[in-house]
Amino acid sequence: GIGGIMRALRTIPVLEDFARDMEAVCPNAWFLNYTNPMSMLCKAMQTYSKVEVTGLCHSVQHTIGLLAGWLQVPSREINYLCAGVNHQAFYLKLEHNGRNLYPDLLKKLEEPEIYQQEIVRNEMCKQLGYYVTESSGHASEYNQWFRKRPDLIEKYCTHGTGWNPGLYAFSLNLRLKRKDHWREEIDEWIDNTPVNPNKGVEYAAEIFNARFGDQKPFVFNGNVINDGCIPNLPADACVEIPVVADKYGFQKTYVGNLPAHLAILVGTTAQIENLVVEATMEKNREKLIHAVMMDPLTSAVCSLEEIRQMCDELFEVNKEFLGDFT
């Protein structure tokens, strides 16, 4: 949505600075990005710098853990193929010992206590047939179905037992609440949280081990330029697909086409993100406004004239971070 687009405009120049420093000082280093908006930031660095970049999001493995709990199957035993763009990647295959788990999952989603935990993406799975990786809060920002009317926000985004992004200014209020005492919170966390020596689910350590050649290759879902790995998405888009890390580098894997209806949904996001990155690098105000006009949620709520007015206001309040957009 518009929030993510404006965040990309503010953040891409910062990553440009990182890239220029790395090109000068450590040109063979790898850049692992954990920052949102993931696809647009990675796309900018992958297209406009020589730095080797991949983006890491934990939504894929966290969601497998969630589904494993619902299905009462050990997560390490689930065989899956997940692909799309960040926050809009779908489990195209979900199996246990060769058995398709989707019929069992769809039955589970009929249970109110399960459905209420992730209302938005549970509803998406029921209607679209595939489970999306990202939480209901993020998932609801990428499409036109849930946040365009007060009654829909009330139904899908307010009353779930998980994160409730339908509350007005939910994310902003979290930051405002913390802004005066975030240092104290961090100190308290460091002082009172026991160190856990067990390996977590984040990818970075395994990537380091594989790249240094100290262990076998490691497969993870990374954010890379498509280059035909998903043929029915733009070839120059930043996609989230299985990637192999080994001592030779990052090797992309061929996924194949997304189901046609998912390709429309994900392809719209990919094309918008491409245009945002292009507009940012060119400092082209008109291209950026056109990208916002195509955003599904923004266009479901606002007219063309309202979108242009909103962008003008956002350019004004963000001008110290954006530079000169012509």
Side-chain angles (χ1 to χ4, degrees):
I2 181 61
I5 288 172
M6 295 307 297
R7 183 171 177 175
L9 263 65
R10 294 190 299 267
T11 310
I12 286 173
V14 179
L15 295 194
E16 275 190 277
D17 288 343
F18 289 163
R20 300 298 167 253
D21 289 345
M22 291 179 69
E23 288 170 345
V25 177
C26 52
N28 295 320
W30 328 312
F31 190 98
L32 305 182
N33 178 58
Y34 278 97
T35 310
N36 284 330
M38 175 67 72
S39 297
M40 289 184 276
L41 301 187
C42 289
K43 161 74 176 177
M45 292 188 77
Q46 290 158 347
T47 304
Y48 295 95
S49 83
K50 299 177 182 178
V51 176
E52 186 176 15
V53 178
T54 192
L56 306 178
C57 179
H58 46 229
S59 61
V60 175
Q61 60 270 48
H62 281 190
T63 298
I64 283 295
L66 176 72
L67 299 182
W70 290 350
L71 295 166
Q72 297 183 322
V73 175
S75 59
R76 66 183 179 277
E77 295 181 9
I78 295 179
N79 181 30
Y80 63 86
L81 172 64
C82 187
V85 300
N86 181 243
H87 293 172
Q88 267 194 327
F90 290 83
Y91 296 95
L92 306 178
K93 180 170 69 174
L94 195 68
E95 296 178 346
H96 180 239
N97 293 333
R99 185 173 64 87
N100 182 12
L101 289 173
Y102 267 116
D104 292 348
L105 178 58
L106 290 171
K107 288 181 182 177
K108 280 289 182 181
L109 299 188
E110 296 301 324
E111 300 177 14
E113 63 273 18
I114 297 293
Y115 181 81
Q116 289 293 319
Q117 290 183 40
E118 288 284 350
I119 298 178
V120 167
R121 54 180 176 165
N122 286 348
E123 183 66 19
M124 289 176 67
C125 183
K126 289 173 64 175
Q127 301 296 341
L128 303 180
Y130 296 88
Y131 209 85
V132 70
T133 55
E134 191 45 56
S135 64
S136 290
H138 276 317
S140 65
E141 298 169 330
Y142 282 79
N143 58 67
Q144 62 271 51
W145 301 311
F146 301 103
R147 300 175 69 94
K148 61 186 173 183
R149 301 197 313 256
D151 61 310
L152 295 178
I153 293 174
E154 175 75 12
K155 180 176 181 179
Y156 292 109
C157 301
T158 304
H159 296 294
T161 55
W163 186 41
N164 292 330
L167 302 177
Y168 180 75
F170 176 84
S171 185
L172 176 62
N173 286 332
L174 286 180
R175 275 70 181 179
L176 291 174
K177 184 179 178 181
R178 295 182 61 196
K179 74 180 182 71
D180 294 327
H181 49 82
W182 62 271
R183 288 186 183 275
E184 292 83 354
E185 285 188 21
I186 291 174
D187 289 340
E188 182 181 356
W189 179 76
I190 292 173
D191 292 339
N192 299 311
T193 304
V195 174
N196 183 352
N198 297 319
K199 181 184 176 298
V201 298
E202 300 292 350
Y203 295 137
E206 297 281 13
I207 289 172
F208 290 146
N209 289 336
R211 289 297 302 267
F212 291 141
D214 294 336
Q215 68 170 32
K216 64 183 180 181
F218 175 64
V219 181
F220 65 99
N221 273 75
N223 287 268
V224 293
I225 298 299
N226 185 15
D227 289 332
C229 293
I230 305 177
N232 58 352
L233 292 185
D236 59 346
C238 181
V239 294
E240 193 167 82
I241 60 173
V243 176
V244 180
D246 59 23
K247 61 184 179 180
Y248 302 108
F250 295 124
Q251 322 299 332
K252 305 173 188 179
T253 63
Y254 179 80
V255 173
N257 285 331
L258 296 182
H261 62 303
L262 298 185
I264 295 171
L265 176 66
V266 179
T268 299
T269 297
Q271 291 184 76
I272 292 168
E273 291 178 337
N274 276 356
L275 187 56
V276 170
V277 172
E278 185 177 312
T280 304
M281 301 305 295
E282 295 176 3
K283 299 289 187 183
N284 190 317
R285 187 186 187 105
E286 197 68 10
K287 280 188 178 181
L288 191 283
I289 294 173
H290 287 159
V292 179
M293 288 174 172
M294 299 301 120
D295 175 69
L297 179 55
T298 307
S299 59
V301 175
C302 299
S303 70
L304 290 169
E305 182 181 20
E306 289 168 340
I307 292 171
R308 183 173 293 276
Q309 179 183 347
M310 176 177 64
C311 288
D312 288 342
E313 293 175 5
L314 287 167
F315 271 113
E316 179 63 26
V317 298
N318 283 280
K319 60 184 178 183
E320 67 176 295
F321 304 108
L322 303 183
D324 180 26
F325 265 74
T326 54

